[in-house]
Amino acid sequence: MNHPNPFPLPAQTFVVLLEDAGANSNADTLQGVLRAQDFRCAVATTTEEVIELLTGAPVDLLIIACRDWPWRQVADIRDAADSYLPIILIADDLTDTLLDHCATVEIDAVICRPVNQHLLLLKIRSSLKLRMLYQHEHAQKTQLLDYWQTSDLEHEVAAKLFNDVLKADFLETEAVAVVMSPMALFNGDLVLVAKTPENHLHVLLGDFTGHGLSASIAATPLADIFYGMTRKGFDINEIVTEINAKLYRMLPANRFLAATVVALYPESSSMKSITCGLPEHFLVNHADNSFLAIRSLNIPLGIQPSIEIEEQLHRVSENERLYLLTDGIFEAENAEGELFGGERILNAIRQSKSEDIRNLQASLEAHTGGAVQKDDNTLVILSCAVDSVPWGRREARLPRQRIAATTWKQVMEFDIDSLRLINPVPLMVNTVMEVQGLQNYRQDIFMIVSELFANALDHGVLGLDSDLKSSPEGFMHFYAMKDERLQQLQRGRIRLSFIHQATEPGGRLVVKVLDSGNGFDWRRRNSMRKRDEAYCGRGIIMLETLCSSLVYHGCGNRVTAVFDWQH
Amino acid sequence: MGIEARVDGGVLSIKISGRFDFGVHNEFREATKLVESGVKLIEVDLNGTEYLDSSALGMLLVLRDKMAGDKSAIRIKNSRTEVKKILEIANFDKLFTLS
């Protein structure tokens, strides 16, 4: 209903005349005039009759022509009408008292006797127009209310759906604190947290362009990719690449996702961030109050079919906390239109480690004067307490369909050109899961294969010394060298063999890894270990804990790990 | 306030004054249609732009889409500090020519 209805024909218009009882030439004249114009017409002689007519059918207009008009009852008459009832009064004299009464009960028009027919028709027309406008407005209001109710209902359903999808796999951990304003999800903000089989913690903070439900519609497939790939042990570079490609295919040109994805690697006390279009994040060391601003290095996701990821690596300790915020907090305005900004955020969060959230909220409230915000504030705090690894709990062992242990063997070999491009560990482990259904042991098997593969690549094929990683500078240097050697090396290969067989209590998986590197003096390491536990890398200790046996062969470029599992 | 757009010798010039956000998307869409008249280069002048939000970034991306993703075909110039900062956070220098 964008335009008013056309003016109804007189034949469709019902007029009631209120006249004094008894023969009255005036009424006849008025009726005659109305009938001549084709109006449908009825005569009443009392207020009760008028009300009866009103309750019987919609009346479009009331003309009061009695000498002693019942002005006190006009309110009752109007109450009985279906919609707005315009009233024209025909009077003998326009006295002040009469006009006062007209004003009190809101009579629409008054005509003085003798009645000028043209004037009467003009007044009828404008009164009918008033009723029509009122009806039109009323219909629009009802329609709007309907829309509102429908949209509220849809929001409710959508909120439930989103919560179910996004929360189903969300890892609740003390390491990650999330503060989200109630409607932030519907303004396109989202937070996902999960861990890999190797106990790497993945966190994604995203902010879709636009507002309202359509902004967050792509959240579901995105969450599926994030949780699915993290569970399978893919690294965040691969996850970001996949999310970007998916969003590029899904979203129209003007829509994208500004996001940051972070991975925390407890075993190397390090963190990697991939920043795509969100305002800067702060890595605060609460021990010495120093901080690092982590800037966005990449374009938002979903714009280009593929992206060249620029990542950032950081050494972290238990003193560090990472603060990720969406632009809603940065852009919160005070009364003068001044933005809250990064400096105020930093001042608030650096005051105290334990009160960081409260201080930030208090400072934000003081700035905005408690004014209602656009309601799209999301804050994520990642505690980098790598040594206590608070998220590193084992997943509950789910009852699964038991698959009988079978005998099989799989060998795959990767040359340097494929090692440059892919990490085969998630693929290989998933194959083992498919064949033998060892979901309950996914984490253990993943850690074994991943550790063996990393050793073969870093120390075997690439010949990097793990001692390099012990200092912060060396740590960065290590990864820079790894990148460089991977690109430059012409030759190199890794062969992974999986051999599985049944045993009395369950099954045995033997993993053999061979690399083209020079190996290492494992005999010396064995004797060193007896004297100095701390000398060995954390990785090998972990392998020895998980495996029934771990044996190096030859010059140290071959290793055999045995993993036994039980029904 | 609003958007001024004109085509001159194969160059589409778009000037945005005031707030560059969802409020001007109809005007911007009209300006975007001018690309179809054989435009080789687009100059977006943000000298008068006081504010720019993510829906504005979306509008710029539509413009880029019309130019088949050619980075050198769209120049965004004269941004004020605050506006420039938002373009930098989004790393739009990788998608447009910023000057």
Side-chain angles (χ1 to χ4, degrees):
Chain A
M1 288 230 302
N2 294 322
H3 50 84
N5 294 329
F7 215 75
L9 296 167
Q12 297 164 336
T13 310
F14 187 34
V15 183
V16 173
L17 257 176
L18 177 60
E19 252 297 354
D20 290 322
N24 190 307
S25 59
N26 198 8
D28 290 335
T29 324
L30 285 174
Q31 261 196 69
V33 172
L34 295 171
R35 293 239 156 87
Q37 293 293 321
D38 240 9
F39 286 112
R40 289 198 296 127
C41 201
V43 178
T45 52
T46 63
T47 313
E48 288 70 34
E49 276 179 54
V50 174
I51 290 174
E52 202 172 308
L53 283 164
L54 281 166
T55 39
V59 174
D60 297 298
L61 173 69
L62 173 65
I63 299 176
I64 302 179
C66 36
R67 303 280 160 182
D68 190 14
W69 71 292
W71 68 274
R72 288 179 202 279
Q73 286 161 309
V74 166
D76 293 339
I77 293 173
R78 281 222 164 100
D79 278 349
D82 65 317
S83 160
Y84 184 74
L85 176 70
I87 301 175
I88 298 173
L89 177 67
I90 294 173
D92 291 327
D93 293 306
L94 296 186
T95 62
D96 285 352
T97 317
L98 179 120
L99 291 175
D100 274 351
H101 290 166
C102 285
T104 309
V105 299
E106 295 182 10
I107 294 298
D108 299 276
V110 189
I111 300 174
C112 215
R113 290 195 175 90
V115 176
N116 176 317
Q117 282 189 22
H118 296 285
L119 182 63
L120 176 65
L121 290 175
L122 207 66
K123 296 285 187 192
I124 289 176
R125 211 178 151 75
S126 63
S127 298
L128 289 175
K129 199 174 208 168
L130 194 67
R131 174 171 161 89
M132 225 178 59
L133 284 174
Y134 180 88
Q135 283 175 331
H136 178 61
E137 191 247 14
H138 184 73
Q140 276 188 327
K141 203 166 141 188
T142 315
Q143 201 175 19
L144 209 58
L145 272 173
D146 277 356
Y147 281 143
W148 245 330
Q149 278 169 358
T150 315
S151 128
D152 274 358
L153 210 68
E154 280 184 349
H155 266 83
E156 239 171 74
V157 175
K160 190 180 172 333
L161 276 173
F162 275 130
N163 263 324
D164 288 354
V165 171
L166 300 182
K167 288 283 170 197
D169 295 308
F170 187 94
L171 176 73
E172 298 281 355
T173 160
E174 283 170 26
V176 184
V178 180
V179 184
M180 225 173 169
S181 53
M183 284 306 285
L185 176 63
F186 286 110
N187 287 323
D189 284 6
L190 91 162
V191 180
L192 307 174
V193 181
K195 70 179 172 76
T196 68
E198 290 173 283
N199 276 329
H200 297 161
L201 186 73
H202 289 178
V203 179
L204 179 148
L205 171 67
D207 180 0
F208 279 103
T209 22
H211 292 278
L213 201 52
S214 67
S216 42
I217 210 87
T220 308
L222 189 155
D224 283 346
I225 294 173
F226 178 85
Y227 287 125
M229 289 183 77
T230 298
R231 191 164 44 235
K232 288 180 179 165
F234 287 95
D235 193 36
I236 57 172
N237 294 55
E238 289 151 320
I239 296 175
V240 170
T241 302
E242 193 62 29
I243 289 175
N244 177 68
K246 178 80 179 173
L247 293 179
Y248 177 76
R249 291 194 299 269
M250 269 186 78
L251 299 176
N254 62 344
R255 292 298 177 94
F256 54 80
L257 176 79
T260 287
V261 185
V262 178
L264 194 57
Y265 308 108
E267 79 279 9
S268 59
S269 301
S270 65
M271 187 181 85
K272 177 158 76 181
S273 60
I274 300 177
T275 49
C276 313
L278 283 177
E280 57 196 359
H281 308 306
F282 303 110
L283 184 62
V284 176
N285 182 330
H286 282 284
D288 61 11
N289 222 8
S290 63
F291 73 94
L292 177 76
I294 302 175
R295 286 178 209 294
S296 156
L297 294 187
N298 301 283
I299 57 169
L301 305 178
I303 296 174
Q304 297 269 58
S306 65
I307 53 167
E308 295 249 330
I309 295 172
E310 275 190 58
E311 59 186 39
Q312 297 173 76
L313 278 172
H314 314 280
R315 273 295 261 220
V316 290
S317 70
E318 58 181 357
N319 297 320
E320 257 117 3
R321 278 189 179 189
L322 176 69
Y323 296 83
L324 307 168
L325 305 91
T326 53
D327 55 8
I329 301 178
F330 283 86
E331 291 177 4
E333 290 180 5
N334 66 7
E336 283 77 47
E338 200 184 334
L339 304 182
F340 189 57
E343 207 167 310
R344 286 192 187 86
I345 293 171
L346 263 174
N347 283 340
I349 54 181
R350 286 167 74 202
Q351 276 171 36
S352 144
K353 183 178 176 180
S354 55
E355 299 287 308
D356 48 5
I357 295 180
R358 204 170 303 166
N359 287 339
L360 180 63
Q361 283 171 332
S363 171
L364 187 63
E365 205 170 302
H367 179 76
T368 58
V372 179
Q373 285 298 304
K374 276 187 284 175
D375 206 18
D376 54 354
N377 300 335
T378 301
L379 163 69
V380 178
I381 302 177
L382 172 61
S383 165
C384 309
V386 284
D387 289 327
S388 53
V389 202
W391 60 89
R393 63 164 197 265
R394 226 168 240 271
E395 271 174 272
R397 302 221 153 157
L398 305 168
R400 298 255 180 190
Q401 201 185 345
R402 195 181 279 184
I403 296 178
T406 52
T407 310
W408 50 269
K409 184 175 172 178
Q410 185 196 26
V411 182
M412 274 187 103
E413 195 168 299
F414 301 91
D415 263 352
I416 190 70
D417 54 344
S418 60
L419 292 173
R420 262 182 219 128
L421 294 174
I422 61 162
N423 170 12
V425 177
L427 302 170
M428 301 286 296
V429 174
N430 284 328
T431 311
V432 175
M433 295 299 126
E434 296 287 328
V435 177
Q436 198 57 65
L438 295 175
Q439 267 81 3
N440 284 344
Y441 296 99
R442 177 192 281 273
Q443 182 162 346
D444 294 346
I445 295 170
F446 195 100
M447 288 179 95
I448 294 167
V449 177
S450 172
E451 190 60 35
L452 292 174
F453 178 79
N455 284 341
L457 181 65
D458 294 355
H459 310 307
V461 173
L462 301 179
L464 293 161
D465 188 346
S466 60
D467 287 350
L468 264 176
K469 281 200 274 188
S470 53
S471 74
E473 304 76 41
F475 171 80
M476 295 301 169
H477 187 52
F478 181 90
Y479 283 98
M481 266 174 50
K482 179 173 174 177
D483 240 24
E484 193 187 303
R485 290 199 187 168
L486 254 182
Q487 295 312 317
Q488 287 175 352
L489 214 63
Q490 296 298 318
R491 282 168 180 284
R493 67 190 165 91
I494 295 174
R495 181 196 293 163
L496 291 156
S497 322
F498 293 82
I499 302 143
H500 189 269
Q501 66 212 32
T503 58
E504 189 68 34
R508 165 170 286 190
L509 179 70
V510 179
V511 184
K512 293 185 178 181
V513 181
L514 169 105
D515 68 64
S516 59
N518 296 327
F520 71 109
D521 191 350
W522 52 275
R523 290 176 189 87
R524 182 165 158 267
R525 195 195 73 90
N526 274 355
S527 60
M528 290 284 288
R529 192 183 157 203
K530 291 190 179 75
R531 291 202 302 270
D532 185 3
E533 283 282 335
Y535 182 78
C536 323
R538 266 206 241 192
I540 289 182
I541 294 177
M542 185 204 69
L543 280 174
E544 284 173 341
T545 316
L546 290 172
C547 298
S548 313
S549 78
L550 180 75
V551 181
Y552 285 90
H553 313 276
C555 66
N557 69 334
R558 284 190 292 137
V559 60
T560 302
V562 177
F563 177 74
D564 286 305
W565 60 273
Q566 295 170 10
H567 278 305
Chain B
M1 292 297 140
I3 291 179
E4 277 175 53
R6 64 190 173 87
V7 181
D8 197 359
V11 179
L12 168 61
S13 308
I14 303 177
K15 268 181 104 144
I16 298 135
S17 321
R19 291 176 73 86
F20 186 9
D21 58 16
F22 192 72
V24 297
H25 86 282
N26 274 328
E27 279 179 82
F28 198 88
R29 189 179 295 176
E30 288 307 311
T32 306
K33 283 182 188 159
L34 295 174
V35 173
E36 279 145 35
S37 58
V39 164
K40 298 275 176 288
L41 178 71
I42 301 177
E43 289 198 332
V44 181
D45 188 343
L46 299 182
N47 188 28
T49 308
E50 292 157 9
Y51 170 82
L52 176 144
D53 73 354
S54 63
S55 54
L57 298 179
M59 291 181 233
L60 292 172
L61 290 172
V62 172
L63 214 52
R64 180 176 168 276
D65 212 40
K66 296 267 181 201
M67 301 304 278
D70 178 2
K71 181 182 163 179
S72 58
I74 304 177
R75 286 189 198 147
I76 301 176
K77 56 183 193 181
N78 300 329
S79 324
R80 298 183 190 178
T81 319
E82 281 305 306
V83 168
K84 191 173 245 165
K85 200 173 163 192
I86 294 168
L87 292 171
E88 279 169 4
I89 287 173
N91 289 288
F92 266 28
D93 58 317
K94 296 184 180 182
L95 302 171
F96 300 90
T97 307
L98 304 185
S99 58

